[in-house]
Amino acid sequence: METSKSFFQKHSVIVKISMIAVLTLLMLIPVNMVQSLIREREENKTIVQEEISDKWGGQQRLVGPVLVLPYKTRIAEGNPIVVKYAYFLPDEYSIEGEIKPEERSRGIYQVLCYQSLMQVRGKFNFPDYEKLNLSADQIQWEDAFLLVGVPALQGIKNKIDFNVNGKSLDILASVAPNDLMNSGLTVKMPLNPADIKEAYNFNFDLALNGTDGLYFAPIGKHTSIHMKSEYKTVTFIGDFLPNSRKIDQLGFDAQWEIFDYNRNYAQMWIGQNSGISDSLLGVDLLLPVDQYQKTMRSAKYAIMFIVLTFVVFFMVELLNRKRIHPVQYLLVSFALVLFYSLLLALSEYIGFEWSYLISALAIVSLITSYSYSIFKSKKQASFMGVFLCILYVFLYVILQLEDMALLLGSAGLFITLAIVMYVSRKVDWYKEDDRVEQSLN
């Protein structure tokens, strides 16, 4: 026992460093528990968002109108006659629209929804069916129809008056059999094969509710889409960026001009065509980074906070001959972890910024007061409080400047290491164990 005691006294600094390292590793357990709690709360929010989105309209994608000609054919000689479909896209296609954002909530969770008001215009020329190797006798002209693809029909909030050459056409609340889309509207539009020089000008207004994003398929030989909104936190997505756009405090205003040679699918075809669904453009409405993402990002720095705080305590212990018990290190580390739990709980009610301020002040006050009971010195306790304030301010700056987080974090660690190296430059590590032993005796 005497030999063992002499060894630990003789190498007390090494033992203390090893103890701090072990405590740091043990603190990974509560840190991971906090991160799991954050993920769980975020998953609860996602479930609520999906429930509201399903009822409101979800992500909306407008495809069409597309002209469809049913025709009769035989797959092989002697086989029965079957009906297949030929598809024709408009020559001119334009959309003028406005998006009005609206936040919906359930309990403490919020979902960004929108109401869009669109005027859809365009023109079909008489279908050039001969280019698809079809004859007029094969086509069922009386059964021709238009398809308008909308994935979430419950999001349509107006009575659609679909006009072709000034005449209102009947709309069926479902999609007719086709190879192109499985959700949307069908507009009956019988054609006369004698009207080969006829052009079909169409227009209709569409009030469409949705969440998160609104997308379009550029189906015209010339597609012109103009969208605007008072909402400014947006991102433009898809294969085509706007030709012109403006985003300021008043919202956004974007204009797309697209031609058929910009796409990877033709104006007419037979059978399936995945190119339309793969070639989209549109806008996503974004909520600012929510409290769960920010809290999770801050929790990733928890171990760094614990290590730096332990280093400060250890340097005070080493340079000022203050004896700090491992339990005291442990209580301080638990206080640091508690910060993230407080931040998560408060941010669900009062927002991230105020929650961060309140949680940081609470933990800094707690650890500073506890440091005074350990050090018995107002100067050293105040130093610890100032150090923690700087640490939390530094973390907040990193969270706000996401793109520069790595740079600032690396610079901060470099400065911290430089300070520790400077402060400990005169420490004689070979003799320090003897000095600590003498101070203990």
Side-chain angles (χ1 to χ4, degrees):
M1 292 295 294
E2 290 296 327
T3 303
S4 176
K5 182 177 178 181
S6 175
F7 173 83
F8 284 111
Q9 286 181 340
K10 185 176 182 180
H11 302 282
S12 59
V13 173
I14 296 176
V15 171
K16 182 58 68 74
I17 293 175
S18 301
M19 178 271 299
I20 292 175
V22 171
L23 285 178
T24 302
L25 293 175
L26 288 176
M27 292 311 299
L28 287 172
I29 298 174
V31 168
N32 286 332
M33 292 174 64
V34 170
Q35 292 180 351
S36 296
L37 179 61
I38 296 172
R39 284 190 288 268
E40 178 184 341
R41 302 294 291 182
E42 189 171 18
E43 288 173 1
N44 291 340
K45 177 187 175 182
T46 301
I47 292 173
V48 172
Q49 288 178 328
E50 290 175 351
E51 291 177 354
I52 296 177
S53 296
D54 290 342
K55 296 176 181 179
W56 185 259
Q59 290 185 342
Q60 295 286 22
R61 181 176 68 251
L62 180 62
V63 180
V66 178
L67 176 60
V68 184
L69 294 184
Y71 67 94
K72 295 180 179 180
T73 186
R74 295 180 188 272
I75 298 177
E77 190 66 30
N79 286 0
I81 295 176
V82 295
V83 176
K84 289 188 173 294
Y85 303 94
Y87 302 90
F88 301 85
L89 299 180
D91 289 77
E92 298 291 335
Y93 184 62
S94 68
I95 298 175
E96 185 77 22
E98 181 178 4
I99 300 175
K100 297 181 179 180
E102 181 178 337
E103 287 191 5
R104 294 282 172 139
S105 62
R106 178 182 296 175
I108 61 175
Y109 303 112
Q110 291 184 331
V111 179
L112 181 60
C113 304
Y114 65 79
Q115 294 179 319
S116 63
L117 303 174
M118 294 176 284
Q119 296 82 46
V120 184
R121 307 286 184 270
K123 182 184 73 171
F124 285 97
N125 287 326
F126 192 85
D128 193 356
Y129 56 90
E130 292 181 344
K131 287 186 177 181
L132 298 177
N133 298 319
L134 297 176
S135 65
D137 295 337
Q138 288 181 272
I139 299 173
Q140 298 176 309
W141 297 100
E142 289 296 321
D143 295 329
F145 59 90
L146 297 170
L147 286 177
V148 181
V150 178
L153 294 175
Q154 69 270 28
I156 299 176
K157 297 304 177 183
N158 69 314
K159 179 176 175 57
I160 300 176
D161 186 15
F162 199 105
N163 294 287
V164 175
N165 291 343
K167 180 181 178 182
S168 181
L169 301 183
D170 294 332
I171 298 177
L172 304 180
S174 61
V175 289
N178 70 94
D179 305 308
L180 185 59
M181 59 188 70
N182 54 21
S183 177
L185 304 173
T186 301
V187 181
K188 303 296 291 183
M189 194 177 85
L191 298 182
N192 187 342
D195 298 333
I196 192 169
K197 294 183 179 181
E198 184 75 16
Y200 304 94
N201 295 288
F202 65 87
N203 65 85
F204 65 97
D205 294 341
L206 181 62
L208 190 62
N209 286 357
T211 56
D212 299 332
L214 179 60
Y215 315 136
F216 306 94
I219 58 174
K221 251 186 181 180
H222 174 214
T223 298
S224 177
I225 299 176
H226 178 222
M227 299 298 298
K228 61 182 180 179
S229 175
E230 296 178 355
Y231 196 74
K232 63 179 184 296
T233 309
V234 298
T235 181
F236 301 105
I237 53 110
D239 293 338
F240 308 94
L241 293 177
N243 295 70
S244 62
R245 63 179 181 178
K246 179 182 179 182
I247 303 177
D248 54 26
Q249 296 300 318
L250 300 178
F252 81 87
D253 191 303
Q255 177 77 42
W256 289 264
E257 299 289 340
I258 302 163
F259 299 91
D260 58 340
Y261 45 76
N262 299 134
R263 311 170 325 219
N264 60 357
Y265 54 89
Q267 284 295 110
M268 62 185 76
W269 71 90
I270 291 175
Q272 297 181 346
N273 185 350
S274 61
I276 290 184
S277 58
D278 294 338
S279 181
L280 298 172
L281 61 90
V283 59
D284 274 339
L285 279 64
L286 306 175
L287 278 172
V289 177
D290 64 30
Q291 68 270 19
Y292 299 108
Q293 293 174 331
K294 288 184 177 181
T295 304
M296 178 60 79
R297 285 175 54 201
S298 65
K300 292 178 179 179
Y301 293 90
I303 291 299
M304 182 186 76
F305 268 49
I306 293 171
V307 170
L308 292 178
T309 305
F310 280 178
V311 167
V312 172
F313 268 83
F314 177 70
M315 295 305 298
V316 171
E317 181 178 2
L318 186 66
L319 299 176
N320 296 282
R321 308 296 190 268
K322 299 292 184 179
R323 189 178 181 185
I324 303 176
H325 196 275
V327 173
Q328 294 172 314
Y329 277 96
L330 191 63
L331 290 175
V332 170
S333 62
F334 276 131
L336 292 171
V337 174
L338 181 61
F339 164 78
Y340 302 101
S341 179
L342 285 173
L343 178 59
L344 173 63
L346 291 174
S347 64
E348 292 184 329
Y349 295 93
I350 61 175
F352 181 83
E353 284 72 20
W354 281 107
S355 301
Y356 190 96
L357 177 62
I358 294 172
S359 302
L361 288 176
I363 298 303
V364 169
S365 300
L366 177 63
I367 296 179
T368 301
S369 301
Y370 189 62
S371 298
Y372 178 73
S373 69
I374 298 174
F375 302 141
K376 306 301 182 182
S377 168
K378 291 183 179 179
K379 179 179 179 180
Q380 292 173 354
S382 299
F383 171 78
M384 179 58 65
V386 171
F387 165 76
L388 289 173
C389 287
I390 294 174
L391 207 56
Y392 281 111
V393 170
F394 177 67
L395 175 60
Y396 186 79
V397 171
I398 288 179
L399 295 177
Q400 301 306 309
L401 303 175
E402 182 177 359
D403 293 337
M404 298 182 64
L406 179 60
L407 176 61
L408 291 177
S410 301
L413 290 175
F414 175 82
I415 293 172
T416 301
L417 179 60
I419 293 174
V420 172
M421 294 173 68
Y422 177 81
V423 171
S424 62
R425 71 191 187 282
K426 295 183 179 181
V427 175
D428 189 341
W429 297 98
Y430 287 104
K431 296 182 179 181
E432 192 60 37
D433 287 317
D434 295 334
R435 291 178 181 175
V436 172
E437 181 182 354
Q438 293 174 3
S439 67
L440 294 176
N441 294 330

